[in-house]
Amino acid sequence: MILLQELFQLSWEDSLLESLGFNSILGVVAFISVTALRFYNPSTDRFIYLILVAGIITAVAVAIDTYLLNLLFDKTFPIDYSERVIYFNSGFGFLILLSIQALGMQRNMLAEESELQQRKEETERIAKEAELDKLRHQLQPHFLFNSLNSINALILSQPAQARRMVQQLSAFLRGTIRADDSKVIPLKEEMEHINLYLEIEKVRFGHRLQTEMLIGAACESMFVPPLLLQPLLENAIKFGLYGTTGDVLITLGVECVGGFLAVSISNPTDNESTSQSGTGFGLTSIKRRLNLLFGRNDLLYTTKTDDLFTVNLKIPQKHD
Amino acid sequence: MINAIIIDDEPLAISVVEEYLAKHQDIEVIGTFNDGFQGLKGITELKPDLVFLDVQMPKISGIEMLELLDDLPAIVFTTAFEEYAIKAFEANAIDYLLKPFSQDRFDASIERFKLRPANQKTEVSNLLAAQPTNRIVLKDNGRIRILALKDVDYLEADDDYVKIVSANESFLKKTTLKRYEEQLPSSQFIRVHCSFMVNLSKITRIDPYEKTSHMAILKSGTGLPVSKSGYLNLKEVLGI
């Protein structure tokens, strides 16, 4: 407005009117064009397109402005000035529109990018969860069918024991399905699940299978990801029972060391025996799970002596 | 009277079979065993007519145990594993019971056993070919040896036997090279000659030998003859 006044020596009222008129028209068309851009985002030749649109819109705005002003305030403007005003308005409007559109477009691009990023993160999260879910729920069909076979054996000879085993197996399966990786659970809770599992296995294998639990009292309230220790015990039992022919003692030791829960699980092994293939010892899947949960590869390692195989595991305690 | 034995590492699994057998007055259980070693001894000493056999057992599987027997009794497999079922029939096993099985299903197996052709023989080789393996189980002076495949240098046909050379030891097993060709992983063991199969990872170099053939030199220093077709086999596996 002031520019108009200075450059063209227009009267104060005239320049105010002209500025208000043109700028509001400019504002309206700029808003429309930016809104339109939000829905239609040209990807190629976007700058040429931008300039073209800005030019056309400016021309339209100037035309409307001139027409309206002439209509409303006929002959208010000195005729030789109005042409110059038109040129000025055109140049000014064009620049303003161009920059508004450029800003709008950039905002759109940024929004799109962040949406893409979000979608990518979401996809990754879902994939990770699905994988964790799969790793966690790798229920051993062998365990299930053989347990059912044991129940089948007990039904006639020891019905009370058969019923007990049905209940244990149900509770174990329920715990397996319910487990949610997004939260850790107290060690005590995981131990209840483990004990259910061990009782079932002891019915199956009788006196051959013995277990020893050495758990520091202070560790019981520390946290573990659900269903992480049980597959390790399952592994140790399989390894122990199928790798040797004698009685098998499985030891589970848990200590709290610094910010970690240090777990060791050992089973007897036979130096001579080459393990039977196809029995699926699942240490790889546990390692993978630890990596997905904690982003570390150094949390699990194994040691082997002549007659003892031990899995050592560190579970970081998150301090929130 | 039919003499039967039951081999299973789970005591309750044995008791189910015993319970189901109670109504079959003409079948007597003359022994039960908890692993393949005892089972092998039991079969050899008691010579049963019928064996109920679990597959997954300590140290050696039921199938590996059968491989150590010269004379096979009639076998009914009892296991939670499904993957060998079809192969079990190809191997002329009497039947294949998936745990847990019913009395009716069990009775059907007994029926099949009684109606079997007199000359039917169980063929273990078919079963072993179905089982991916990383080892060879054999008998050596009455002792059972388990050899890891990665330690085996080569196998050599020797009349009715195959000589298995592994870490400076050699063992004889009554079988054919052809059977091992079917059983062992073809990416690891290559038939280089009508009488030799070699562990690929044990070869250090292949030298030309005489005019048309080659010689494979092993890490142990042993040289094995490579025939024309054997050389082609090697080239194919090595991708040269």
Side-chain angles (χ1 to χ4, degrees), chain B residues 131-157:
Chain B
Q131 188 182 33
T133 187
N134 57 0
R135 59 190 201 176
I136 291 175
V137 179
L138 47 79
K139 259 193 301 193
D140 177 37
N141 291 326
R143 205 168 146 244
I144 292 163
R145 292 289 299 260
I146 301 168
L147 308 176
L149 283 188
K150 62 175 169 50
D151 297 334
V152 173
D153 286 345
Y154 66 94
L155 296 91
E156 183 182 356

Side-chain angles (χ1 to χ4, degrees), chain B residues 83-96:
Chain B
E83 52 242 65
Y84 306 133
I86 295 164
K87 287 289 172 186
F89 287 113
E90 284 176 4
N92 294 326
I94 298 300
D95 207 347
Y96 201 91

Side-chain angles (χ1 to χ4, degrees), chain B residues 36-50:
Chain B
F37 296 94
Q38 293 179 42
L40 187 68
K41 209 163 158 257
I43 294 176
T44 318
E45 284 169 7
L46 302 174
K47 303 211 180 306
D49 306 304
L50 177 61

Side-chain angles (χ1 to χ4, degrees), chain A residues 142 204 242 270 274 277 279, chain B residues 10 16 56-57 59 132 135:
Chain A
H142 210 241
R204 279 180 62 196
Y242 293 114
D270 192 324
T274 304
S277 60
T279 34
Chain B
E10 296 187 31
V16 175
Q56 199 188 18
M57 285 192 296
K59 290 205 62 164
R135 59 190 201 176

Side-chain angles (χ1 to χ4, degrees), chain B:
Chain B
M1 200 59 152
I2 298 160
N3 289 328
I5 67 171
I6 308 165
I7 307 172
D8 199 308
D9 62 325
E10 296 187 31
L12 286 169
I14 290 178
S15 66
V16 175
V17 176
E18 284 176 324
E19 189 191 311
Y20 285 171
L21 273 175
K23 69 178 257 193
H24 296 272
Q25 298 289 324
D26 52 342
I27 300 178
E28 190 188 358
V29 178
I30 54 169
T32 64
F33 306 94
N34 291 114
D35 61 58
F37 296 94
Q38 293 179 42
L40 187 68
K41 209 163 158 257
I43 294 176
T44 318
E45 284 169 7
L46 302 174
K47 303 211 180 306
D49 306 304
L50 177 61
V51 175
F52 296 94
L53 180 65
D54 185 18
V55 175
Q56 199 188 18
M57 285 192 296
K59 290 205 62 164
I60 60 170
S61 76
I63 293 167
E64 286 169 331
M65 181 202 84
L66 290 181
E67 202 194 3
L68 301 173
L69 288 163
D70 296 325
D71 216 2
L72 289 177
I75 305 287
V76 172
F77 287 104
T78 64
T79 168
F81 270 140
E82 203 147 352
E83 52 242 65
Y84 306 133
I86 295 164
K87 287 289 172 186
F89 287 113
E90 284 176 4
N92 294 326
I94 298 300
D95 207 347
Y96 201 91
L97 293 170
L98 286 175
K99 293 171 180 174
F101 43 86
S102 68
Q103 174 87 57
D104 286 350
R105 182 67 187 79
F106 181 84
D107 293 348
S109 285
I110 302 297
E111 228 19 62
R112 286 177 69 102
F113 165 71
K114 288 177 179 166
L115 295 172
R116 78 191 187 285
N119 58 352
Q120 183 174 324
K121 279 273 176 217
T122 312
E123 301 279 345
V124 197
S125 58
N126 290 335
L127 276 171
L128 279 164
Q131 188 182 33
T133 187
N134 57 0
R135 59 190 201 176
I136 291 175
V137 179
L138 47 79
K139 259 193 301 193
D140 177 37
N141 291 326
R143 205 168 146 244
I144 292 163
R145 292 289 299 260
I146 301 168
L147 308 176
L149 283 188
K150 62 175 169 50
D151 297 334
V152 173
D153 286 345
Y154 66 94
L155 296 91
E156 183 182 356
D158 189 353
D159 286 333
D160 290 346
Y161 291 84
V162 168
K163 187 167 90 175
I164 300 160
V165 179
S166 167
N168 300 322
E169 283 185 282
S170 70
F171 308 90
L172 281 177
K173 184 158 173 161
K174 196 173 177 184
T175 181
T176 61
L177 261 193
K178 192 176 171 356
R179 245 188 76 183
Y180 276 120
E181 224 179 338
E182 286 161 6
Q183 188 192 336
L184 301 179
S186 59
S187 56
Q188 193 182 359
F189 282 86
I190 317 297
R191 184 87 176 244
V192 292
H193 187 273
C194 61
S195 304
F196 291 97
M197 266 178 90
V198 65
N199 185 348
L200 200 60
S201 62
K202 298 285 183 184
I203 300 178
T204 52
R205 61 175 204 275
I206 300 160
D207 292 347
Y209 183 69
E210 291 180 343
K211 264 181 192 154
T212 49
S213 63
H214 291 77
M215 181 81 91
I217 312 295
L218 305 189
K219 286 174 184 160
S220 60
T222 313
L224 298 181
V226 177
S227 69
K228 239 181 183 176
S229 65
Y231 189 64
L232 289 178
N233 288 345
L234 268 176
K235 272 185 19 178
E236 196 189 317
V237 176
L238 293 168
I240 51 172

